[in-house]
Amino acid sequence: MRHARAQDPYPTGLRGYLTPETNDETLGGLAFRIEELLGDNREEDATTLALTTADWLRRAAQNADTPNSDIREVGELMDHMHQDISEAVPRS
């Protein structure tokens, strides 16, 4: 994540949600914001943030300089999560 942030500090859709510095709290902070949006009955915003986060993490794993099996696994997991979230959203 730090490498991805060095390339693009505030990826599209994450400005206002990411803290200025990437640390051990970054993912927890994004998860909290998603839960907060859901608690405020802002399901569309929560879904958008969840999809954007999964996509960002997937791209970060794919673009890692030296991806090991754990990083590749994270990329695959984010791909599945993105798909699951997309399929769970009611279509208008």
Side-chain angles (χ1 to χ4, degrees), residues 36-85:
E36 187 176 53
L37 291 167
L38 288 170
D40 291 342
N41 293 318
R42 296 175 54 195
E43 291 85 5
E44 188 173 323
D45 292 334
T47 300
T48 299
L49 180 55
L51 290 170
T52 302
T53 300
D55 188 51
W56 173 59
L57 293 171
R58 176 178 53 189
R59 282 183 284 120
Q62 290 171 343
N63 296 329
D65 287 338
T66 54
N68 61 27
S69 61
D70 289 339
I71 292 175
R72 285 191 296 273
E73 187 176 326
V74 166
E76 292 171 10
L77 177 63
M78 291 303 109
D79 190 41
H80 290 292
M81 287 182 65
H82 192 282
Q83 184 176 352
D84 289 348
I85 294 166

Side-chain angles (χ1 to χ4, degrees), residues 1-12 14-15 18 56 59:
M1 288 188 320
R2 286 183 182 97
H3 177 73
R5 292 285 305 275
Q7 303 302 312
D8 185 4
Y10 292 99
T12 302
L14 295 178
R15 183 175 293 281
L18 283 173
W56 173 59
R59 282 183 284 120

